[in-house]
Amino acid sequence: MAPEQLAGREVTVRSDIFALGLVLYELFTGKRAFEATTPAELARLQSESKPTNPSSHVEGFDPSVETVILRCLEREPEERPASALAVAAALPGSDPLAAALAAGETPLPEMVADAGSHEGLRPAVAMACLALILLGLAVHPFLAEQTSMTRAVGLELPPAALQVEARRILEEAGHTERPLDTEQGLFIDYGYLLHERGQAAEKRWKDVGVVRPAPVTYWYRQSPRYLTPTSFANGGVFRLRATNPPFDIPGMATVYLDAGGRLAGLLVMPPEVDDSEGPGLEPDWSLLFDRAGIDMATFAAARPKWNPTFDCDLRRAWEGTYPDQPDVPVRVEAGTWRGRPIYFQVIPHWHRSWRMESIAVAAESPGQKAATIVGFGLTLVTLAGGLMLARRNLRLGRGDRQSAFRLALIVLLSTMGGWVLGGHHEPTFAEVGLFFQALAMASFTGGAAYTVYIAIEPHVRRLWPNLMISWSRLFQGRFRDPLIGRDILIGAVAGTATFVLLDFGNLLPEWLGLPLANRGYEDVESLSGVRQVLARCASLPMMSSIGPIMMLLLLLLVRTILRKQWAAVSVLVLLFGAGKLASASNFVIDGSIGVIVLGLSFFVLLRHGLLASITMSLFMVLPRFGVWTTDLSSWYAGQMMIPLLLLAAIAVYAFYISLAGRPLFSAKLFDEDGAKV
């Protein structure tokens, strides 16, 4: 009898496991686990002591068998194996997982976790994997730097220096009021990229370094009230932007500077109520022209045509060219309120009015629009199918709810971590509202992860249990399991190979003289500070886990329809591959690389499992964040190394546990006769 049975408590399957452990103990040792003459004495022994290790009774006792027996005899039921099949799985020389599948049963999560190899990689293989990962991480900054718009433009001044310049410009324009709240950041004006898309690589990228204002733009905002974002940004969190919150509070001011600190734009919201009379004296515009690096004497007056989103009592406009670019037209628009400049904008010929046209419509080709529609349709079908499967599994009591809850919690905390680190926080009641809105978004994301996982987990465990072995061990807390290390290393190698391949894909058009459609799309927001870099790292578990799990769900749905795994994989590769080709700017290069990455993703998922696939996604995503440089003296070099160091730490940890305690090198290379061991 189990302790809980002797005590009159609830009896479960794990009580039978205890009885099985007693029988096994006596079979292997010839002795009872607990020697007692009365039930009371037996209950006392079970509650106060543990049985003697079987190896103390039998010389040369198999350690793996001893571990199984002692697990069966754990005092607490939840610490024992979940079933007799789980016990059989842990015993040497058996394959209970195959037996359960042959019997038409769905193996329990514990059985899946106990199945498979308990060995890691051979030291030579593990060392090779780690070397490839570290090499890829080291090469990435060199390759990414070649296609970096920030490198072509030259970010000489850090945000702190640009902020000082922005405040100085506001003071010189007569806006000396002390703000209550401020924020800053960088962005890339994609209008230049879209305008120059058709140019050959050599000319287009050569012009990026000299075009003015530079496409990489710094923005600074200040306000007499706390700045509270009103809409979601990337990652599903509220973050301040140059246009979020809206520019609608009197006294708000925004300054735009190019990478060299030259003025590109100035906006100041005039007062809502003003009793002063007349427009006042016209300011000396040459001061702002000088701040923009433009000689006002070379510009001719023109009729204003670009309207700010607020009222001005005096409007002015000029047209001309930069001294070093006489063939490039430039327009300057300006406005005042009661003699103070409140509007000043340097408008290059490629600048577009995004308020009057949709950037999505303007930027996407017909093929890209078709790919978007197909992708959106597949997403809806996948979510609908996932909801139906999850509802059915919950009703029937299927699914590993514990792992689903842990996954949902990780996704929720990851999303909230991105908001906490990357958001703009303020000591007002509005912050409470933002917290609950961020929590609502994080809860929705976590709930979606829970639903999708419950939808697929029991079916994957039945159809492809090998995909879940290392994943199940990880969620059971076996953080030093060598199989976990092996699969993380494999996924890291695949992810590293992928982002290096993408780096070369961005370089190929330049080498071949083709249009550079993929250049310039960099995460310059991360240059705002270490906090933004850490926010992206915090969001990574959410971003890297959703894709592989959704891929499994879609694969499961298509397999249910087609009945064959190879047919389902083929259809998905064709569908996603067609989308990649349709949206590719350079059909041969981008399309081919997209199909290769897609095929590799399916291979890693189906050959090495969910944990390897999520690791691959993690290593694919994180290097895309940030702006890379090999100039270690650059002001942003240090903070941009954080993502690479994080990935390197993950790879080193996986390498260490994949060895399962084996030494890298044999302690004895030659025997006594001098022969190599």
Side-chain angles (χ1 to χ4, degrees):
M1 286 186 174
E4 64 271 15
Q5 192 172 2
L6 287 172
R9 301 197 305 269
E10 180 185 7
V11 177
T12 65
V13 172
R14 295 179 191 252
S15 304
D16 292 335
I17 297 301
F18 189 91
L20 176 60
L22 292 174
V23 173
L24 290 174
Y25 190 98
E26 191 166 349
L27 282 173
F28 276 92
T29 66
K31 298 181 181 297
R32 293 185 179 183
F34 300 97
E35 293 287 352
T37 57
T38 65
E41 183 183 1
L42 179 62
R44 182 183 59 79
L45 288 174
Q46 290 183 356
S47 62
E48 296 179 359
S49 64
K50 291 186 177 182
T52 306
N53 289 349
S55 57
S56 64
H57 300 297
V58 179
E59 185 178 354
F61 200 90
D62 190 327
S64 61
V65 176
E66 181 176 68
T67 300
V68 174
I69 294 175
L70 293 178
R71 281 190 63 197
C72 292
L73 297 178
E74 289 287 349
R75 187 178 298 115
E76 299 299 330
E78 59 270 14
E79 296 180 5
R80 303 170 199 154
S83 67
L85 280 174
V87 176
L91 289 171
S94 64
D95 189 358
L97 185 62
L101 295 174
E105 300 179 5
T106 299
L108 295 171
E110 295 83 0
M111 183 188 302
V112 172
D114 289 333
S117 172
H118 289 266
E119 298 182 358
L121 293 171
R122 289 187 289 112
V125 177
M127 181 66 78
C129 290
L130 180 63
L132 288 174
I133 295 167
L134 297 180
L135 178 62
L137 294 176
V139 167
H140 173 66
F142 289 91
L143 298 177
E145 186 182 38
Q146 306 307 312
T147 58
S148 171
M149 174 174 284
T150 53
R151 176 177 179 266
V153 170
L155 294 180
E156 299 178 1
L157 300 176
L162 293 172
Q163 184 182 61
V164 172
E165 182 66 18
R167 288 178 173 176
R168 182 183 295 116
I169 291 174
L170 284 172
E171 292 177 357
E172 290 178 352
H175 304 286
T176 58
E177 299 84 1
R178 185 178 181 85
L180 179 64
D181 198 6
T182 65
E183 186 58 283
Q184 62 181 345
L186 294 104
F187 68 91
I188 293 178
D189 190 341
Y190 293 113
Y192 173 78
L193 299 177
L194 297 175
H195 177 79
E196 303 292 333
R197 172 168 286 182
Q199 290 194 21
E202 181 180 357
K203 180 182 187 305
R204 180 186 176 213
W205 210 239
K206 181 180 179 181
D207 290 346
V208 172
V210 297
V211 67
R212 294 173 58 189
V216 179
T217 303
Y218 167 86
W219 59 269
Y220 165 80
R221 291 191 68 172
Q222 66 179 38
S223 172
R225 297 183 185 178
Y226 284 108
L227 293 164
T228 303
T230 58
S231 59
F232 288 110
N234 293 336
V237 298
F238 287 92
R239 291 198 181 113
L240 275 179
R241 296 290 184 268
T243 56
N244 182 24
F247 193 78
D248 56 4
I249 302 298
M252 272 189 175
T254 302
V255 177
Y256 296 97
L257 305 176
D258 68 9
R262 292 181 291 265
L263 178 64
L266 180 146
L267 303 171
V268 181
M269 177 63 69
E272 184 176 9
V273 178
D274 190 351
D275 294 332
S276 59
E277 297 181 0
L281 297 175
E282 186 168 359
D284 182 4
W285 294 110
S286 63
L287 295 176
L288 294 181
F289 271 82
D290 290 341
R291 287 297 183 184
I294 302 174
D295 184 4
M296 184 177 178
T298 63
F299 276 65
R303 181 178 61 84
K305 65 178 182 179
W306 284 76
N307 296 314
T309 57
F310 46 82
D311 189 27
C312 297
D313 57 17
L314 179 68
R315 294 285 309 281
R316 291 287 184 265
W318 300 266
E319 291 181 345
T321 62
Y322 287 110
D324 53 347
Q325 295 176 329
D327 58 335
V328 179
V330 179
R331 185 178 182 86
V332 176
E333 296 267 356
T336 67
W337 184 263
R338 302 301 187 257
R340 292 195 300 177
I342 62 171
Y343 173 56
F344 188 87
Q345 187 175 11
V346 180
I347 306 172
H349 68 287
W350 43 264
H351 191 67
R352 307 171 69 160
S353 174
W354 303 121
R355 293 186 179 93
M356 296 179 64
E357 62 177 317
S358 168
I359 183 172
V361 172
E364 289 187 348
S365 65
Q368 291 172 323
K369 294 176 185 177
T372 301
I373 294 173
V374 171
F376 182 69
L378 286 175
T379 301
L380 288 181
V381 171
T382 303
L383 290 177
L387 286 172
M388 290 188 292
L389 285 176
R391 180 176 179 273
R392 183 171 183 270
N393 290 336
L394 289 173
R395 189 177 71 250
L396 297 176
R398 298 174 179 173
D400 183 0
R401 300 191 184 191
Q402 184 182 55
S403 296
F405 174 78
R406 290 175 178 174
L407 174 65
L409 184 62
I410 290 172
V411 171
L412 185 149
L413 294 177
S414 174
T415 306
M416 286 299 295
W419 174 75
V420 170
L421 291 171
H424 180 88
H425 305 291
E426 56 191 33
T428 66
F429 189 75
E431 183 71 12
V432 179
L434 289 178
F435 169 78
F436 282 109
Q437 291 183 69
L439 182 61
M441 175 59 69
S443 300
F444 171 80
T445 309
Y450 181 93
T451 302
V452 173
Y453 191 81
I454 287 293
I456 67 171
E457 191 271 339
H459 300 284
V460 174
R461 190 163 18 102
R462 181 184 181 89
L463 296 172
W464 311 299
N466 291 333
L467 305 188
M468 305 293 292
I469 294 176
S470 58
W471 175 261
S472 299
R473 293 183 187 181
L474 179 67
F475 271 57
Q476 287 186 4
R478 306 186 196 178
F479 301 118
R480 296 177 62 87
D481 191 289
L483 190 67
I484 292 176
R486 184 200 73 180
D487 286 352
I488 290 178
L489 269 183
I490 291 173
V493 169
T496 303
T498 299
F499 70 68
V500 171
L501 179 63
L502 293 173
D503 288 336
F504 277 109
N506 290 337
L507 282 169
L508 278 177
E510 180 178 3
W511 295 343
L512 301 176
L514 300 174
L516 301 174
N518 293 332
R519 283 201 172 181
Y521 296 88
E522 301 171 68
D523 182 26
V524 295
E525 292 179 4
S526 60
L527 295 176
S528 300
V530 174
R531 191 164 58 92
Q532 292 297 333
V533 177
L534 295 178
R536 282 151 175 76
C537 294
S539 302
L540 200 63
M542 179 269 294
M543 299 181 64
S544 60
S545 61
I546 295 299
I549 292 175
M550 291 295 290
M551 185 185 298
L552 259 183
L553 173 59
L554 192 56
L555 178 62
L556 182 64
L557 294 175
V558 177
R559 186 194 179 279
T560 302
I561 297 172
L562 301 179
R563 304 292 182 182
K564 298 290 185 181
Q565 178 176 320
W566 65 267
V569 173
S570 301
V571 168
L572 289 178
V573 170
L574 288 175
L575 282 175
F576 284 110
K580 293 287 185 183
L581 292 173
S583 60
S585 302
N586 296 308
F587 185 85
V588 176
I589 297 175
D590 297 342
S592 300
I593 291 178
V595 172
I596 292 173
V597 171
L598 180 63
L600 182 60
S601 300
F602 272 106
F603 173 79
V604 171
L605 176 63
L606 296 176
R607 179 65 177 83
H608 297 286
L610 183 59
L611 181 58
S613 181
I614 289 177
T615 304
M616 176 183 175
S617 177
L618 185 150
F619 272 72
M620 285 173 56
V621 170
L622 193 55
R624 315 318 296 179
F625 291 145
V627 178
W628 304 101
T629 179
T630 56
D631 181 10
L632 298 182
S633 64
S634 173
W635 59 267
Y636 58 89
Q639 67 189 48
M640 286 298 101
M641 291 297 107
I642 294 176
L644 296 186
L645 292 176
L646 175 61
L647 293 181
I650 294 173
V652 170
Y653 171 76
F655 165 76
Y656 174 74
I657 64 174
S658 70
L659 296 177
R662 290 174 293 186
L664 281 177
F665 306 101
S666 175
K668 184 178 181 181
L669 298 179
F670 299 92
D671 61 18
E672 296 178 356
D673 298 329
K676 187 176 180 181
V677 177

